[in-house]
Amino acid sequence: MASTEGPACQIFSFQDPKFSPDPLFELPSRYLTPTPVPIVIDNGSFQTRAGWAAPGDDPDSLWLLFRSVAARSRGAARSETQIGNDIPNLEPLRWLLKSQFDRNVVVNFEIQELIFDYVFTHLGISSEGSVDHPIVLTEAPCNPLHCRQMMSELLFECYRVPYVSYGIDSLYSFYHNSAQSSLRPRHTGIILSSGYHCSHILPVISGRLDAANCKRINVGGSQAALYLQRLLQLKYPGHLAAITLSRMEELLHEHSYTAADYNEELERWRSPEFYESEVHRMQLPFSGKVPGACVSVEERQERRAQQLRRLQEINARRREEKLQQDQERLDRLLAVQELLEDGLLDQFHKRLVELNMDSAEELLSYINKLQLTIEQGRQKLLQDGAEGKIEVSESEQPMDEGDGVTLMDSDFPEESLPEKPTNVVQPMFNIAEYHQLFVGTERLRCPEILFQPSLTGEDQMGMMETLQYVLARYTPEQQEALVSNVFLTGGNMKYPGMKERVEKELLAMRPFQSHFKVTVASRPDLDAWYGARDWALEHPPGAEGGGGEGWISRQDYEEKGGEYLSEHCASNVFVPMKIAKPVRPAEPSVMNPTLTGASAGVTMVTCDSALPLTAADITMVTS
């Protein structure tokens, strides 16, 4: 919850961070021998995290961290695509941003390939045509087989990787924190994971995911940011352009919190004293100049002088351009006249027709008029230059009451200025306060959509209702084991007060005097990558021809298909795709018309010669 102590007025500024491009790392030689070191990629819908799983490295050796977006115009080349931190500011390119995800499932594999290219290039992999390192990659819970098949095809066919391992990010985080807590390896618990696009309830029974009872809620950080943007745009219609999604994400990460009791907290916000102490005033960037403010006589005279100079410069520039055009036309006409003087009559008449003239006399008359116009223009240009200097020098002097009336603004008549007394205090407009966003109840209303999706119009259960529904599918003994280890992870679980809210909801949900325990990941948004790295260090890929537990080798991919999954403690459950074989139409049997009696009641069923014949394939029907 928000603290009740603090200054009476809390003013904050938006950071508006500018991302800098990621460096191109050099691949250490020890990562190649004696065996290639695995690459760990947490393919998140909000951020992508990548690094090496090398023994003896710094435990916090996360190499790459960037937004999972690509900006490319329609029809642009691949080299013109900007990825992740190569985009310094997302807002100008918001309409060009593309992601590989639909909800939390990868569907756009063209963008996914660009993300992989970015990761491998910045990690220093320069091998031509292949990546010789095993890959540990995260995927969504209950990932569709088609999506895994396309991902395996991309990694094995395009990058020719030797091994691939798939795992769920929430389970990696679960096992990473369990190892730090020294829990037994095959433990039971339930995971509440909330990411950028959706949230999940994942029960773990005896160290393995119970995929049949997993549930997904289509509410996450992106919906909270959009909801906050709508609320503030309705509240401040004069600052629509300044209320961007990037700033709303910053508000959620830095200034929002989860209320232990939502209705009670709203009642507290009704108090003016509580509101003044807890409201966060977000200062938008602004210019100190106010349109329509009081302007002194000296400033007006300076403005008139500047306007006069600007008009004179524009008129002089136009005259110079017209004079130059007339001179060029005169040169062309004199060139035609020289053809007549040189005796080239055919070319002369041809040029006359092009100029739409009938005779040499008309050409000579036009030349004389043009020469006179050019001479007058030059004289006018010289006169304007001399008069402009005199007028500018006069305009810099104090003007009388009747001077420059045509240049004055009608909203500020000159004769009314001296009549105003100098001791009258003009009302001051606080432009800084006008450009402030007062973020009050929005601080708790946006995180609340995790528990009440109906606030945004979503017709589905909240996280705790879904948790209760999942627990009801187990026996009382299993429920006790599950709630004894409730684990919160994911970037959308970082709100202050989230653990207290879940504990209060569980207290109301569980039977009287029942026990439960709620823990939060040490780094909810990063522990998935660290857990995947720990798993890769504990389970290195096997020798030639066998991948080992959790690893898919290239031989497995070619023999068992792209949708194949080698299960391990943090993976999905592999459900092989059942393809029904086409049934060939049976040939009509030729019955002997001479058969009578019991023989006529026998039906002969034929089978394909390629299939083994069993007793179940023959049906004897007797009359």
Side-chain angles (χ1 to χ4, degrees):
M1 287 183 56
S3 61
T4 57
E5 297 180 2
C9 179
Q10 303 181 71
I11 300 179
F12 303 87
S13 297
F14 286 105
Q15 301 298 322
D16 291 337
K18 303 295 182 183
F19 300 100
S20 57
D22 291 316
L24 294 174
F25 296 101
E26 292 185 2
L27 180 62
S29 58
R30 60 190 179 88
Y31 286 0
L32 295 172
T33 55
T35 56
V37 172
I39 300 174
V40 180
I41 303 175
D42 181 11
N43 195 29
S45 56
F46 181 70
Q47 287 180 330
T48 298
R49 307 160 190 89
W52 300 95
D57 269 7
D58 181 11
D60 298 330
S61 57
L62 179 61
W63 290 49
L64 293 177
L65 176 65
F66 58 91
R67 286 290 298 268
S68 303
V69 290
R72 181 173 65 177
S73 302
R74 180 175 296 180
R78 289 173 63 94
S79 59
E80 300 176 6
T81 305
Q82 294 177 290
I83 306 291
N85 292 336
D86 288 344
I87 310 172
N89 188 6
L90 296 178
E91 292 309 319
L93 301 177
R94 178 70 68 178
W95 63 285
L96 288 177
L97 296 182
K98 297 179 178 64
S99 174
Q100 68 268 40
F101 287 92
D102 181 9
R103 294 289 184 182
N104 65 325
V105 177
V106 178
V107 294
N108 191 340
F109 287 90
E110 181 182 2
I111 301 298
Q112 184 65 66
E113 183 180 352
L114 294 174
I115 297 290
F116 282 152
D117 289 344
Y118 184 89
V119 169
F120 297 146
T121 302
H122 284 76
L123 288 180
I125 298 176
S126 57
S127 55
E128 188 68 26
S130 66
V131 176
D132 300 328
H133 297 265
I135 304 294
V136 180
L137 187 67
T138 60
E139 65 177 5
C142 304
N143 193 33
L145 293 181
H146 172 72
C147 298
R148 186 182 302 124
Q149 178 184 4
M150 296 295 293
M151 187 69 75
S152 297
E153 181 178 342
L154 176 63
L155 291 171
F156 283 112
E157 302 293 345
C158 181
Y159 297 100
R160 305 190 66 82
V161 299
Y163 299 98
V164 173
S165 177
Y166 298 107
I168 301 174
D169 50 0
S170 306
L171 291 179
Y172 280 135
S173 177
F174 183 52
Y175 286 104
H176 175 70
N177 286 269
S178 299
Q180 291 181 342
S181 303
S182 301
L183 293 179
R184 59 187 186 277
R186 300 185 65 81
H187 47 277
T188 299
I190 191 162
I191 304 172
L192 275 63
S193 170
S194 182
Y196 189 61
H197 282 140
C198 56
S199 304
H200 291 92
I201 310 295
L202 307 177
V204 178
I205 304 293
S206 299
R208 286 302 175 96
L209 176 69
D210 184 9
N213 291 318
C214 293
K215 296 298 174 184
R216 186 180 80 171
I217 308 167
N218 292 325
V219 174
S222 61
Q223 288 82 6
L226 288 171
Y227 183 46
L228 179 58
Q229 185 184 37
R230 291 203 307 267
L231 290 177
L232 292 182
Q233 284 182 345
L234 288 172
K235 190 175 181 180
Y236 298 99
H239 301 305
L240 295 181
I243 303 175
T244 61
L245 272 179
S246 298
R247 287 175 175 168
M248 297 305 101
E249 290 170 0
E250 181 183 340
L251 274 178
L252 285 174
H253 297 161
E254 304 294 336
H255 302 276
S256 297
Y257 69 96
T258 303
D261 191 315
Y262 180 64
N263 295 324
E264 180 182 343
E265 190 71 11
L266 286 180
E267 287 297 324
R268 296 180 65 190
W269 277 93
R270 293 170 64 91
S271 170
E273 294 79 11
F274 185 85
Y275 179 87
E276 288 297 329
S277 63
E278 294 298 331
V279 67
H280 284 195
R281 302 185 183 188
M282 305 304 301
Q283 184 67 61
L284 296 173
F286 66 95
S287 175
K289 296 182 179 180
V290 182
C294 297
V295 183
S296 63
V297 178
E298 292 78 8
E299 290 178 352
R300 265 191 224 145
Q301 291 175 353
E302 180 64 26
R303 289 183 185 179
R304 281 198 293 266
Q306 292 177 359
Q307 290 176 0
L308 185 58
R309 294 191 200 99
R310 198 178 302 115
L311 290 174
Q312 289 173 348
E313 291 173 358
I314 293 174
N315 292 334
R317 196 181 306 115
R318 289 178 179 175
R319 289 195 182 96
E320 289 177 359
E321 293 175 356
K322 187 176 184 306
L323 188 62
Q324 185 177 1
Q325 293 175 0
D326 292 342
Q327 185 64 45
E328 292 176 356
R329 184 168 180 77
L330 178 62
D331 294 341
R332 290 196 299 268
L333 295 179
L334 290 175
V336 175
Q337 190 179 21
E338 288 177 0
L339 294 176
L340 178 62
E341 295 174 355
D342 295 341
L344 303 174
L345 298 180
D346 293 340
Q347 297 182 12
F348 174 73
H349 289 296
K350 184 177 180 181
R351 296 295 302 274
L352 277 183
V353 173
E354 293 176 357
L355 295 173
N356 199 18
M357 295 183 183
D358 297 332
S359 61
E361 291 78 7
E362 184 178 357
L363 175 63
L364 183 61
S365 173
Y366 198 86
I367 290 175
N368 293 334
K369 291 180 181 178
L370 204 54
Q371 288 176 343
L372 181 61
T373 302
I374 292 174
E375 185 64 27
Q376 292 176 353
R378 288 174 178 171
Q379 294 178 2
K380 182 66 174 175
L381 198 59
L382 293 175
Q383 292 176 3
D384 288 348
E387 292 176 359
K389 293 180 181 179
I390 298 174
E391 290 177 0
V392 169
S393 61
E394 291 178 353
S395 64
E396 292 176 353
Q397 300 176 0
M399 291 188 177
D400 295 334
E401 187 173 346
D403 294 339
V405 176
T406 57
L407 294 177
M408 289 172 52
D409 192 350
S410 59
D411 294 337
F412 301 96
E414 182 72 21
E415 59 274 11
S416 62
L417 288 175
E419 299 177 0
K420 289 186 178 181
T422 57
N423 57 354
V424 175
V425 178
Q426 298 292 335
M428 296 300 294
F429 178 71
N430 192 343
I431 188 172
E433 186 173 345
Y434 174 74
H435 286 85
Q436 288 178 3
L437 305 179
F438 286 61
V439 185
T441 57
E442 294 84 5
R443 295 177 56 200
L444 66 145
R445 291 172 66 184
C446 296
E448 185 64 22
I449 68 172
L450 284 175
F451 304 95
Q452 300 185 53
S454 59
L455 294 175
T456 60
E458 292 285 345
D459 187 16
Q460 56 184 331
M461 294 189 295
M463 180 178 295
M464 301 310 296
E465 292 178 270
T466 308
L467 175 62
Q468 186 176 10
Y469 175 79
V470 171
L471 290 175
R473 302 169 71 92
Y474 293 97
T475 63
E477 294 77 14
Q478 290 176 326
Q479 292 183 23
E480 288 292 336
L482 288 170
V483 298
S484 64
N485 189 10
V486 179
F487 181 69
L488 310 182
T489 186
N492 210 33
M493 286 292 185
K494 296 173 65 177
Y495 298 116
M498 180 63 71
K499 179 182 177 182
E500 291 78 7
R501 175 63 178 270
V502 173
E503 287 176 343
K504 183 173 182 179
E505 296 278 354
L506 277 173
L507 184 63
M509 182 190 309
R510 299 297 298 153
F512 179 63
Q513 291 185 344
S514 61
H515 300 282
F516 57 85
K517 182 181 179 182
V518 180
T519 57
V520 185
S522 57
R523 291 163 294 189
D525 52 343
L526 299 178
D527 278 353
W529 185 87
Y530 289 110
R533 185 203 58 184
D534 295 344
W535 181 90
L537 291 174
E538 296 172 2
H539 303 81
E544 191 117 358
E549 181 188 5
W551 292 98
I552 306 171
S553 65
R554 184 169 187 83
Q555 182 179 358
D556 294 333
Y557 166 75
E558 293 173 350
E559 293 179 356
K560 303 175 183 177
E563 69 276 3
Y564 171 69
L565 174 67
S566 178
E567 296 184 13
H568 57 92
C569 60
S571 71
N572 277 302
V573 177
F574 177 54
V575 181
M577 184 183 298
K578 295 182 180 180
I579 302 177
K581 296 182 179 180
V583 179
R584 296 180 181 179
E587 297 181 0
S589 57
V590 180
M591 301 297 297
N592 191 345
T594 61
L595 293 178
T596 58
S599 300
V602 178
T603 302
M604 300 298 296
V605 180
T606 61
C607 65
D608 196 335
S609 59
L611 299 177
L613 184 62
T614 61
D617 293 327
I618 303 177
T619 304
M620 301 296 294
V621 181
T622 58
S623 59

